[in-house]
Amino acid sequence: MSDLTATTDIDSRLEGHRVELTGYCYRMLGSAFEAEDAVQDTLVRAWRNFDKFEGRSSLRSWLYRIATNVCLDMLNAGNKRARPVDLTGPTPLAQAALNPLPENTWLEPMPDGRILPSVADPAEAAVARESVRLAFVAALQHLPPKQRAVLILREVLAWKASEVAELLDTSVASVNSALQRARATLSDTESTAPDTANPLDDEQRKLLDRYVAAFEGYDMAALTALLHEDAVMTMPPFDLWLQGHDDITGFMLSIGASCAGSRLVATEANGTPAFAHYKPNPDGPGFVPWAVQVIDISDGAITAMHCFLDTPRWFPLFGLPDHLDDTA
């Protein structure tokens, strides 16, 4: 085998693990861009040291070991990302003010295609989707880094305790202890997971169709009928979050009134339905990016609208156009 062929073969073998490694690093770090950086660092380290890979473990296990060390190094800075709902209580509409916090404060959205590898087993696919929901990834941020790794490897990726112990250079007893502590912390912090099916069932599709019609028509009565009475709306990078359909629709008719006449384009993020939100272009024809909305659904109602407003970062990540014309 020529050197070029061998290099191409190594590149192909490493690249085949990119999506699942990105999902792992995203759960660990809570950041789309830090996860992709961590995976790139992992693959570069693996490529440079491939001649030292002796095959005593699988290539996949070796890559996860490298990725875990990269993530633990990145987490040594102590930063943990959050949603607005994790930092403060809801803001009454009368006191609503848009105060931005630094980018590294926030849990970030992630396109499904970058973190959810194709799997044949529906049960395995369901676990993977549940484990990238915003609420679950936010709950993971409450765990110390090594507990986070143990819980993801054991509960999400279904590794054996002995395999995790080998990866972390520790004992099976330590892994089991860390897993128990992690489970206890998550039971205290994790909110109720959305119940969105994959693929969406008929009722969920109809609910989202009605949501699009209400939002694009800026019909607050119709929107109110779709929102759970305790629904929340968040808007990172602003720390403000609103709870209850009255405050949400009141905000949309006041501070958010410039969103009237918007267009929504369907996408997927964090294992749930999502929309690219384009608002009317204030400087000319068409529509311009405004937010990526990640939607939570439970019990036939919309329970959360997580609106990520840093569109110069999010729209390229999701492969979304930077402009819609008037016929969209």
Side-chain angles (χ1 to χ4, degrees):
M1 183 182 294
S2 69
D3 289 345
L4 178 59
T5 302
T7 298
T8 302
D9 180 60
I10 293 170
D11 288 344
S12 177
R13 291 175 66 188
L14 295 177
E15 195 64 30
H17 295 276
R18 181 181 290 275
V19 173
E20 66 168 314
L21 288 172
T22 305
Y24 175 63
C25 293
Y26 174 70
R27 296 177 185 100
M28 286 288 289
L29 302 170
S31 164
F33 297 101
E34 287 183 1
E36 296 203 326
D37 287 347
V39 172
Q40 191 61 30
D41 191 3
T42 296
L43 297 181
V44 168
R45 293 187 192 189
W47 194 89
R48 287 175 176 168
N49 293 282
F50 201 83
D51 59 334
K52 300 176 185 176
F53 173 56
E54 299 172 350
R56 287 180 296 183
S57 63
S58 69
L59 175 61
R60 181 172 182 254
S61 297
W62 185 58
L63 290 172
Y64 269 94
R65 176 190 287 268
I66 298 171
T68 300
N69 289 331
V70 170
C71 289
L72 292 178
D73 287 345
M74 294 174 73
L75 289 167
N76 280 339
N79 180 57
K80 65 178 182 181
R81 291 173 178 266
R83 304 166 298 171
V85 297
D86 301 318
L87 301 182
T88 66
T91 304
L93 177 59
Q95 300 172 23
L98 300 179
N99 301 309
L101 293 181
E103 170 274 320
N104 63 2
T105 305
W106 302 118
L107 185 69
E108 298 178 346
M110 191 63 148
D112 285 0
R114 291 180 179 261
I115 51 174
L116 294 176
S118 298
V119 293
D121 183 351
E124 186 180 341
V127 169
R129 290 174 64 83
E130 290 297 325
S131 69
V132 295
R133 302 291 172 99
L134 288 172
F136 184 79
V137 179
L140 289 174
Q141 306 302 300
H142 292 273
L143 301 176
K146 284 196 175 179
Q147 282 186 31
R148 205 178 301 180
V150 167
L151 185 129
I152 297 167
L153 292 166
R154 292 282 285 119
E155 301 278 86
V156 177
L157 301 176
W159 286 39
K160 298 176 182 177
S162 57
E163 294 172 328
V164 179
E166 181 179 356
L167 182 145
L168 294 175
D169 293 322
T170 189
S171 66
V172 170
S174 293
V175 167
N176 289 335
S177 176
L179 181 59
Q180 287 183 334
R181 295 196 302 273
R183 285 172 173 166
T185 300
L186 253 62
S187 68
D188 293 335
T189 59
E190 189 183 354
S191 58
T192 302
D195 59 11
T196 315
N198 180 40
L200 297 174
D201 63 34
D202 286 342
E203 290 304 312
Q204 290 167 346
R205 282 196 296 270
K206 290 175 183 176
L207 176 65
L208 290 170
D209 287 344
R210 292 195 297 270
Y211 172 75
V212 171
F215 196 99
E216 291 188 344
Y218 234 58
D219 183 339
M220 294 301 116
L223 185 60
T224 295
L226 305 176
L227 295 176
H228 190 278
E229 62 180 0
D230 292 326
V232 303
M233 182 168 72
T234 68
M235 292 165 282
F238 302 117
D239 59 359
L240 166 75
W241 65 279
L242 302 160
Q243 185 168 41
H245 44 60
D246 288 344
D247 277 1
I248 291 172
T249 56
F251 179 89
M252 291 176 66
L253 290 171
S254 55
I255 298 174
S258 63
C259 290
S262 291
R263 295 289 181 267
L264 299 182
V265 176
T267 183
E268 289 185 331
N270 294 86
T272 61
F275 296 99
H277 174 187
Y278 293 83
K279 65 188 297 186
N281 183 1
D283 300 317
F287 304 86
V288 293
W290 184 246
V292 170
Q293 298 183 3
V294 181
I295 306 296
D296 289 342
I297 299 173
S298 290
D299 299 325
I302 291 171
T303 55
M305 303 156 59
H306 301 290
C307 306
F308 295 89
L309 304 182
D310 191 359
T311 53
R313 302 176 77 228
W314 305 129
F315 275 51
L317 181 72
F318 280 77
L320 294 163
D322 61 6
H323 185 270
L324 292 183
D325 63 31
D326 288 321
T327 61

